[in-house]
Amino acid sequence: ELDMTSITLLPEDKQALIATVNPESATDNYVTWSTSDATVATVENGVVTAVAVGTATITVTTIEGGFTATCAVTVNPRPVTGVTLDKAEATLEVKETVALVATVAPANATNKDVTWTSDNEAVATVANGVVTAVAEGTATITVTTMDGSFTATCVVTVKPISVKGIALDKTALTLKAKQTATLVATITPADAANQNVTWATDNAEVATVENGVVTAVAVGTATI
């Protein structure tokens, strides 16, 4: 006989079963152990280890006489106790992305599936933890566990696309007095929010500039 006829465990839990052979004075009191489903629960020397959600029957059998006793094992899902994000806040420019990493606790929880939502998809969207900045503003990204509905959030601030650089279509000009030439400035990236530029000359006695139009004044050199 066994000291327990049924047990309930969580995945990775262990439980020792004690087998008693009758009569106690029997000469051969050796037994063997077996499980009806090793994918649910295994047994070794009477120690049951829960493997996965389901049910299994543990059987102990005497070597002499082949007598048996059984214990029904039920393995329930290991519940989620919480979730965290690797970032509590993030700042992006429009069109930039950031990947958020959700950690479900405990690490051996059975159902670690989560869902992602944004409270302002006009500002930022999220898919499988990847946040995409849409427009200037703020949005709160929330991850929710399927088991237990635990949540964690990240506040995303989206800023306009900033200028990363500028180039001119010419790096040198040779002009005669009173001649003009137009310089074209190209801002990168092309979709930067603020495309405004200012123009200046380091020697207005040689050359002036207005809205990219350079006018030669007198002999010499100037840098626009």
Side-chain angles (χ1 to χ4, degrees):
E1 59 186 26
L2 287 171
D3 60 331
M4 287 180 278
T5 57
S6 65
I7 55 175
T8 300
L9 303 174
L10 300 176
E12 300 183 19
D13 282 353
K14 295 180 182 294
Q15 176 65 57
L17 298 177
I18 299 174
T20 301
V21 176
N22 295 318
E24 295 182 5
S25 59
T27 303
D28 186 353
N29 59 3
Y30 291 103
V31 296
T32 59
W33 298 86
S34 62
T35 177
S36 65
D37 191 344
T39 64
V40 173
T42 61
V43 62
E44 185 175 359
N45 296 325
V47 178
V48 179
T49 301
V51 177
V53 175
T55 59
T57 299
I58 302 301
T59 302
V60 62
T61 305
T62 61
I63 296 295
E64 180 184 340
F67 296 99
T68 63
T70 60
C71 176
V73 178
T74 301
V75 181
N76 288 331
R78 184 174 291 278
V80 170
T81 58
V83 64
T84 57
L85 286 173
D86 61 330
K87 295 179 180 66
E89 57 185 25
T91 300
L92 303 174
E93 291 186 2
V94 174
K95 295 185 179 180
E96 284 186 335
T97 63
V98 65
L100 299 179
V101 179
T103 302
V104 175
N108 59 351
T110 300
N111 184 357
K112 299 174 77 172
D113 293 337
V114 296
T115 59
W116 298 86
T117 57
S118 168
D119 72 342
N120 192 346
E121 293 192 341
V123 171
T125 61
V126 63
N128 298 323
V130 178
V131 180
T132 301
V134 177
E136 187 177 0
T138 60
T140 299
I141 304 300
T142 301
V143 61
T144 305
T145 62
M146 296 291 286
D147 178 11
S149 296
F150 295 96
T151 62
T153 59
C154 175
V155 177
V156 176
T157 301
V158 180
K159 296 182 177 181
I161 298 175
S162 61
V163 173
K164 303 298 189 296
I166 190 171
L168 287 172
D169 61 331
K170 298 181 182 68
T171 58
L173 284 173
T174 299
L175 301 174
K176 294 181 179 180
K178 296 185 180 181
Q179 282 187 333
T180 62
T182 300
L183 296 177
V184 179
T186 301
I187 287 177
T188 55
D191 54 358
N194 188 351
Q195 296 279 332
N196 296 320
V197 299
T198 60
W199 297 87
T201 176
D202 71 344
N203 192 344
E205 294 181 356
V206 172
T208 61
V209 64
E210 185 175 356
N211 297 326
V213 179
V214 180
T215 301
V217 178
V219 175
T221 59
T223 299
I224 304 302

